[in-house]
Amino acid sequence: MPHEVKGVISRTKGEPVEITTISVPDPGPGEALVAVQACGVCHTDLHYKVGAINDDYPFLLGHEAAGRVEAVGEDVTEIEPGDFVVLAWRAPCGECRSCKRGRPWYCFESANATQPMTLSDGTPLSPALGIGALASKTLVAAGQAIKVNPDAPPETAGLIGCGVMAGLGAAMYTGGVTRGDTVAVFGCGGVGDAAILGAKLAGAAKVIGVDIDPTKLKWAEDFGATHTIDSSKRDPVEAIRELTGGFGADVTIEAVGHPDVMKQAFFARDLAGTLVQAGVPNPTMMIELPMIEFYGRGGALKPAWYGDCLPTRDFPMLIDLYLQGRLDLDRFVSERIGLDDVEDAFRKMEAGEVLRSVVVLHP
Ligand SMILES: NC(=O)c1ccc[n+]([C@@H]2O[C@H](COP(=O)([O-])OP(=O)(O)OC[C@H]3O[C@@H](n4cnc5c(N)ncnc54)[C@H](O)[C@@H]3O)[C@@H](O)[C@H]2O)c1
Ligand SMILES: [Zn+2]
Ligand SMILES: [Zn+2]
């Protein structure tokens, strides 16, 4: 029997989101039905709403979630009903050319549920990032539901499922930050602040937060940025050079999704430095660089898809670090809200009032 539950959908490009009844099937082979306990509102959900990802409306929003497994398909062995899980938008298939070459963190055929969730009239929904968790229940591939220590509160644990992992991984994995590095993070929102935490965890000596919003810079300091730069007031490339003996940072992380910021991050590197692009651009954005600068500066330009994470490896580890008091994740939760408040949460996100608004469903 399909489950009729409330979910937050984006029906038409640019229109406010709606709460409506959606139909969630019972899990078939390889699938898991999850009762969502908490789901963060991520900037990527806003990208879906405004049509910056694709035009496959209606979208079922939400993808930063934790919950309890309610039921699993007959062949599912790795999780069982009652397990506390964080949902991942990467579930490596083991079969694609990337997995077969030993690089499952890039998996090109990541698994999702095969049955669609639908509106009550049967219209199939496109779940955000193959999850769709701004709903009291969701259907995912069993491999997307990662079992973690249930001592962690759902509203904190769920954030590991997207923004926090994307930022931590952008520093630790894609950027390869190591002991003694200088790291500059452009955009100190949820993803950028997680990159600051990731840089610290990896041993960076200097972590420079760059933003145009003074409140965000204050929060970046709370997360451990050693220096901050208001790039609405001064050229961040110059300021970063000043802080690094005239050279630039070893690793720069773009966590905004804007070509001007990408250029700043490109030029703020030291020779042979790495630029990590974590911000998601819209399809019309272009970047133009002098080829001689690309060559002459050396190093690497690397997009970070989900921080190159392996959820089965990283989620339980990060939750354990959090429970040991070694990873300050509670600070990301700016407010706890209901499903009705998602549109307002987008407004607050755009106004820079929050790091994460988290919808709490089944506390
Ligand atoms: N790569 C991934 O796997 C991944 C995962 C999740 C989110 N994202 C993307 O990361 C980006 C950030 O997401 P978020 O949830 O942290 O968003 P957010 O809205 O919380 O943060 C964005 C920050 O950028 C700042 N900003 C805006 N314009 C700026 C500028 N010109 N210079 C410097 N700072 C500026 C804002 O003040 C804000 O603090 C988004 O594009 C999102 O889609 C990527
Ligand atoms: Zn694969
Ligand atoms: Zn996200």
Side-chain angles (χ1 to χ4, degrees), residues 10-349:
S10 172
R11 196 186 290 271
T12 316
K13 188 169 178 164
E15 291 296 312
V17 298
E18 289 169 44
I19 299 197
T20 190
T21 302
I22 63 164
S23 178
V24 182
D26 269 324
E31 293 175 335
L33 177 72
V34 175
V36 179
Q37 289 175 289
C39 181
V41 180
C42 171
H43 211 121
T44 304
D45 294 305
L46 182 58
H47 289 324
Y48 275 106
K49 184 188 114 153
V50 301
I53 307 271
N54 60 48
D55 281 325
D56 298 338
Y57 294 89
F59 294 109
L60 174 59
L61 298 180
H63 59 274
E64 266 190 9
R68 293 269 171 199
V69 176
E70 196 166 296
V72 295
E74 59 202 30
D75 58 345
V76 172
T77 51
E78 62 268 44
I79 47 168
E80 58 185 19
D83 282 349
F84 179 59
V85 291
V86 173
L87 301 183
W89 46 273
R90 172 174 296 140
C93 70
E95 300 292 331
C96 73
R97 57 197 187 284
S98 192
C99 285
K100 280 198 171 133
R101 294 189 63 206
R103 304 192 296 196
W105 49 88
Y106 296 138
C107 178
F108 301 149
E109 300 290 340
S110 182
N112 293 132
T114 46
Q115 305 179 81
M117 295 184 270
T118 65
L119 295 176
S120 350
D121 66 2
T123 307
L125 289 160
S126 304
L129 292 171
I131 294 181
L134 280 170
S136 35
K137 292 183 192 187
T138 189
L139 186 72
V140 292
Q144 291 180 270
I146 313 297
K147 192 172 167 175
V148 299
N149 190 326
D151 291 345
E155 57 269 47
T156 308
L159 300 188
I160 296 272
C162 181
V164 167
M165 185 69 250
L168 287 167
M172 298 191 305
Y173 298 134
T174 318
V177 173
T178 189
R179 290 178 297 285
D181 278 350
T182 294
V183 180
V185 177
F186 292 74
C188 301
V191 174
D193 283 341
I196 290 172
L197 280 185
K200 274 174 45 191
L201 208 57
K206 233 177 234 177
V207 184
I208 305 166
V210 181
D211 206 293
I212 51 174
D213 177 341
T215 311
K216 294 302 180 70
L217 292 172
K218 163 78 182 60
W219 293 346
E221 277 172 12
D222 296 342
F223 276 106
T226 55
H227 303 77
T228 55
I229 297 164
D230 183 340
S231 55
S232 71
K233 299 239 160 48
R234 61 172 309 196
D235 176 4
V237 177
E238 255 175 39
I240 288 167
R241 289 214 184 111
E242 263 173 36
L243 289 169
T244 53
F247 299 123
D250 301 300
V251 180
T252 60
I253 298 173
E254 200 278 2
V256 179
H258 194 284
D260 295 346
V261 183
M262 175 101 171
K263 273 195 184 165
Q264 292 166 352
F266 177 86
F267 286 107
R269 290 173 306 152
D270 194 357
L271 290 174
T274 300
L275 157 60
V276 177
Q277 181 203 351
V280 177
N282 75 40
T284 63
M285 290 173 171
M286 302 287 287
I287 175 131
E288 202 178 357
L289 288 171
M291 246 171 111
I292 188 66
E293 296 285 355
F294 182 75
Y295 176 78
R297 285 163 185 275
L301 311 189
K302 298 173 84 181
W305 299 336
Y306 208 177
D308 295 340
C309 75
L310 273 181
T312 45
R313 173 193 64 191
D314 295 318
F315 289 9
M317 168 191 70
L318 294 171
I319 292 289
D320 289 348
L321 290 181
Y322 162 75
L323 289 170
Q324 292 165 18
R326 293 163 63 190
L327 194 58
D328 184 4
L329 298 182
D330 291 325
R331 205 181 278 284
F332 286 101
V333 183
S334 308
E335 58 169 1
R336 291 163 179 76
I337 59 172
L339 278 179
D340 295 349
D341 306 318
V342 171
E343 187 62 37
D344 198 39
F346 285 139
R347 185 195 60 73
K348 289 181 185 160
M349 177 191 290

